[in-house]
Structures are given as C-alpha cells and as structure tokens.
C-alpha cells in the first residue's frame, strides 16, 4: 500500500480539475490579449475564472491578480508595500514560510527598510501585545505579514483580530493564506486586509498557479514589466489552463468545505488518539492541536527519543508512507526546520508532519499507524 500523507507540501489534482483543463490545453489556445475570436475566447475563460474566484472570496474580480503560485504572490505583496506604499518597517514572525521570511530579509536592500520579528510562544502563537508594541514604535510606515496557518505545525492566527490591531495602528496587513485558501471560507467584505495569497496545488488544483488578492484601496502598478497583463501589474501571457484549473479546484473545495473539514478533522483526531494509545506519555505534538486554532490538515508529531531518529522518515517511505519532516517545501533536504527551532522544540526527538486531504481515508491512517508501530518496534528499537 502507498499512503500519501504530505498534502501540506502539495495535493493530487482532482479528476474534475483535470477534466476542466483538458479542453483549454487542446482547444482554447488563443492568447487572451489577442483581439480576434481565438483571443476573445481565451479572454472569456480568463475573466470567468477571475469572477468565480472573486465570488468565493466575496471580493471584486479586479482585486485578483493571477501569479505563478504562493511564492510569487507573497513576494509581490511585500515588494508592493515597500516600493509603492512607502513601507519602511516589515513586522513578521520567525515562523513564516521562506516565501515571506526570505523576501522580508531581501527587502532590506531598499534604503531604510527594516524587519522586526514578533515574539512567538512554544506552540507558535503570536504575542499580540508584542505586535502592538512593535506597531507603536517609531513613525515609519509599516506592514504586518503573518501567516494564517503555519505549514509545518498548523498553528493559526485569528485574521480579524490581527487586522483590527493593524488598522488601529494604521499599518498594512498581509497574510500568507496559502495553507488555508480552499480549506476555510473567506469573506473579504467582512475581513479588512490588504493582501492575501493562494497556491492552487494546496487544494487539488494544478501547480504553478495562484493569485495575490490586493485590496482595491491599494493602487499597485507594474510589478512585472511587460505586456500589461493583469491590469499592468504582472506582465506575461497568462497560464490559461492553470487559471481554469485553479477556479475549478476552488469550486470543488468550497462546494462542501464544512464536510471536508469534518472528515479531515475526524482523521486527525483519530490519528492523535491512536498515537497516544500506543506511545502514551512519550508522544507530543508540535504546535497547536486545539481545532479552533489549528489547521485541520496538519499534525506534527514529536516522537519518543531514539538514537536512530534520522531513519524515521526514510523507513516510513520504504514502507509506502509519505510524510515529511521540517518544512514541506524542503522535504528531503537535510536542513533543520526554522519553525521547530523558532518554537524552541526539542530537536533531538524525531518528528514527522502528517498532512491530510479530503481524499485521505481511515484505512490509510490505519496503515500508516501500523507502519509507525513497526518502525519503532523494529528499525528504531
Ligand atoms: C505557507 C506557504 N506559503 C507559501 C508557499 C509557497 O507556495 P508555492 O509553492 O505555490 O510557491 C507554501 C508552499 O509550501 C506554503 O506552505
């Protein structure tokens, strides 16, 4: 049996998404910028997809800018803030995905731009008092960039609460919502935020496509110079089949989002119970596990100490169970996790991130659990 439990890294495409993309690849090949009928046909798909996405988020189609995925969208949000909005202080956390963390550090290349890090606790929660103090310090223009849910440990922020703090301190607010888009409902009329980001491959859409939402209050222009696509913000011929696939993936994700949530949360709770039953007090979980503040698709397990910790993921993989340790996007790499380090986790204990999708079954969890037991009883003993 092969069990894929690395859905926070990427998800398999939904069959309906593939079906929606095939006619675009095969038949709808016009360049949406062309004025002839082929171009107009593509343009119609492009704008219908944009309208669909905007309707799910309750925002305006003109606020959606398609990008090559989450990384580009995060880069663009912060770059826009610095280059176009006069932001000099980026306030973020040490637990952000590198798409934000490395971008923030790189933006120090602009004169007077500085990055401040908010304090986090051992479960990865943001210290909101510290955030408020950082916002009050000095009179530079500021942007807060805090991820909605952490991709490694699942800990979530309350977007509305952070938005209110930002607004009362007159700061811009960006949230990396790559792990929550398609998994939680968003109402952008209710949530006052400047930038959020999306990657379709995290909810059974294609890779290499995502978007940046930019609140219409912000006038952003010309980030990627070129042919004037995406209303001049991002030049380059649009990834048409990706965009159509993204819109279809979103439709499928939001059609039944509560049922997906319940199904996946049920599997996560079940795995937690199974692990506790087998390991007793010797098993822990990195990050928040309280469902009201934790991403239901992610469970980061801190296993009992063993001398052969380095063999855990490798042996599980040999037995057909795909999970990851450290960051999703660098799984397979030997570099330690900045997130686990950032929450002060005991790095001598082996850890594995199990991440689920709506396609994950209880049988798969049972199989994975059997393999975990065998690995601890045989290989790691
Ligand atoms: C929280 C978060 N932000 C950004 C990204 C980057 O997205 P992409 O791979 O689409 O560039 C990821 C991908 O793992 C992620 O988990």
């Amino acid at each position: 049996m092969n069990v894929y439990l690395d859905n926070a890294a990427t998800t398999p495409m939904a069959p309906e998404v593939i079906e929606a993309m095939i006619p675009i690849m095969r038949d709808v090949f016009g360049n949406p910028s062309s004025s002839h009928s082929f171009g107009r046909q593509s343009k119609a798909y492009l704008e219908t997809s944009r309208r669909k996405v905007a309707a799910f988020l309750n925002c305006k189609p003109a606020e959606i800018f398609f990008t090559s995925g989450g990384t580009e969208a995060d880069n663009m949000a912060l770059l826009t803030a610095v280059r176009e909005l006069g932001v000099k202080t980026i306030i973020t956390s040490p637990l952000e995905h590198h798409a934000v963390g490395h971008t923030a550090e790189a933006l120090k290349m602009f004169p007077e731009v500085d990055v401040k890090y908010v304090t986090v606790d051992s479960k990865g929660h943001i210290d909101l008092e510290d955030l408020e103090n950082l916002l009050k310090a000095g009179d530079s223009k500021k942007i807060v960039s805090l991820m909605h849910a952490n991709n490694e440990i699942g800990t979530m922020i309350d977007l509305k609460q952070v938005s209110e703090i930002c607004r009362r301190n007159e700061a811009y607010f960006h949230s990396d919502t790559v792990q929550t888009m398609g998994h939680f409902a968003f109402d952008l009329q209710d949530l006052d935020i400047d930038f959020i980001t999306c990657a379709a491959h995290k909810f059974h859409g294609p890779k290499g496509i995502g978007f940046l939402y930019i609140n219409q209050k912000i006038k952003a222009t010309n980030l990627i110079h070129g042919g004037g696509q995406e209303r001049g913000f991002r030049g380059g011929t649009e990834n048409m089949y990706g965009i159509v696939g993204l819109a279809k993936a979103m439709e499928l994700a939001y059609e039944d989002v509560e049922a997906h949530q319940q199904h996946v949360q049920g599997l996560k709770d079940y795995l937690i119970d199974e692990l506790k039953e087998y390991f007793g007090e010797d098993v822990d979980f990195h990050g928040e596990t309280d469902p009201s503040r934790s991403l239901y698709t992610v469970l980061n397990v801190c296993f009992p100490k063993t001398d052969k910790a380095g063999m855990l993921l490798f042996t599980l993989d040999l037995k057909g169970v795909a999970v990851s340790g450290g960051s999703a996007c660098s799984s397979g790499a030997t570099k330690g996790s900045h997130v686990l380090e950032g929450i002060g986790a005991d790095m001598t204990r082996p850890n594995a991130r199990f991440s689920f999708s709506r396609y994950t079954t209880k049988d798969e969890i049972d199989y994975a659990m059997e393999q975990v037991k065998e690995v601890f009883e045989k290989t790691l003993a």
Side-chain angles (χ1 to χ4, degrees):
M1 195 168 178
N2 271 316
V3 176
Y4 182 75
L5 294 175
D6 200 15
N7 290 281
T10 196
T11 55
M13 271 168 75
E16 298 91 328
V17 170
I18 299 172
E19 287 306 314
M21 289 169 73
I22 289 172
I24 310 300
M25 286 187 236
R26 194 179 45 212
D27 308 319
V28 187
F29 61 85
N31 187 322
S33 298
S34 301
S35 53
H36 48 60
S37 63
F38 292 82
R40 291 199 310 274
Q41 186 190 24
S42 284
K43 181 88 173 168
Y45 274 98
L46 173 64
E47 295 312 326
T48 302
S49 302
R50 196 191 310 280
R51 276 198 298 277
K52 243 177 162 179
V53 168
F56 284 120
L57 304 182
N58 199 14
C59 69
K60 297 204 162 56
E63 295 177 309
I64 300 296
F65 296 82
F66 290 114
T67 65
S68 67
T71 302
E72 184 186 320
D74 284 333
N75 270 256
M76 283 188 156
L78 294 182
L79 188 57
T80 300
V82 167
R83 255 188 28 180
E84 312 233 355
L85 307 176
V87 162
K88 295 288 182 208
T89 307
I90 301 170
I91 301 173
T92 187
S93 88
L95 311 182
E96 298 301 304
H97 189 276
H98 290 320
V100 167
H102 287 176
T103 305
E105 284 296 320
L107 288 171
K108 286 185 188 165
M109 73 173 79
F110 286 88
E112 297 164 52
V113 169
D114 198 10
V115 182
K116 301 258 190 274
Y117 291 92
V118 67
T119 309
V120 295
D121 70 13
S122 62
K123 286 192 171 182
H125 292 297
I126 304 299
D127 180 339
L128 295 176
E129 221 178 285
D130 188 41
L131 175 64
E132 188 111 34
N133 290 338
L134 290 172
L135 280 163
K136 289 196 189 323
D139 52 11
S140 61
K141 268 200 190 163
K142 300 180 177 69
I143 186 166
V144 170
S145 179
L146 292 172
M147 68 206 307
H148 189 195
N150 188 282
N151 52 303
E152 291 190 41
I153 56 174
T155 304
M156 294 182 73
I157 61 165
D158 181 335
L159 285 176
K160 267 187 116 169
Q161 193 181 26
V162 176
S163 155
E164 279 159 21
I165 295 173
C166 291
R167 291 312 187 223
R168 72 169 170 262
N169 289 283
E170 292 172 13
Y172 294 104
F173 181 28
H174 160 243
S175 184
D176 176 340
T177 50
V178 167
Q179 289 290 341
T180 51
M181 187 70 66
H183 298 282
F184 289 87
F186 285 84
D187 180 351
L188 293 169
Q189 296 313 303
D190 189 41
L191 172 66
D192 189 10
I193 194 159
D194 298 300
F195 305 95
I196 59 172
T197 55
C198 165
H201 70 105
K202 305 290 187 185
F203 52 97
H204 309 290
K207 294 173 182 52
I209 185 71
F211 64 79
L212 170 63
Y213 156 86
I214 307 182
N215 191 312
Q216 63 177 352
K217 284 184 258 177
I218 290 171
K219 296 290 163 246
T221 52
N222 266 326
L223 216 61
I224 292 192
H225 301 273
Q229 288 90 348
E230 296 301 285
R231 296 169 305 292
F233 184 70
R234 182 193 189 257
T237 302
E238 296 85 348
N239 172 359
M240 284 304 304
Y241 28 84
I243 290 168
V244 168
L246 181 153
K248 185 68 192 178
M250 215 166 198
E251 180 188 316
L252 296 168
Y254 282 130
E255 216 165 55
D256 253 331
V257 70
E258 277 160 27
H260 298 155
Q261 190 161 352
Q262 257 180 25
H263 168 71
V264 176
Q265 184 67 51
L267 295 176
K268 177 171 166 175
D269 292 343
Y270 176 63
L271 182 57
I272 292 176
D273 289 346
E274 291 288 296
L275 287 162
K276 280 186 177 165
E277 195 180 314
Y278 182 70
F279 289 108
E281 301 276 283
D282 294 335
V283 72
D284 277 315
F285 302 97
H286 292 306
E288 186 56 76
T289 51
D290 174 346
S292 67
R293 301 200 287 169
S294 169
L295 180 60
Y296 58 92
T297 51
V298 167
L299 179 66
N300 197 317
V301 184
C302 177
F303 286 104
K305 217 171 196 156
T306 146
D307 291 342
K308 301 178 191 159
M311 291 181 69
L312 174 64
L313 299 187
F314 163 74
T315 320
L316 282 174
D317 187 30
L318 285 181
K319 291 173 174 294
V321 179
V323 292
S324 72
S327 166
C329 299
S330 60
S331 52
T334 47
K335 256 169 107 184
S337 153
H338 69 284
V339 175
L340 295 185
E341 208 180 300
I343 58 170
D346 180 352
M347 306 289 268
T348 63
R349 285 172 66 176
N351 91 289
R353 180 189 65 180
F354 293 75
S355 52
F356 323 99
S357 87
R358 63 178 189 255
Y359 295 123
T360 310
T361 64
K362 181 173 170 291
D363 282 353
E364 290 179 318
I365 302 290
D366 283 334
Y367 179 79
M369 191 60 213
E370 270 170 43
Q371 304 317 308
V372 166
K373 288 180 190 169
E374 215 177 286
V375 170
F376 272 87
E377 279 161 23
K378 295 189 179 151
T379 319
L380 305 187

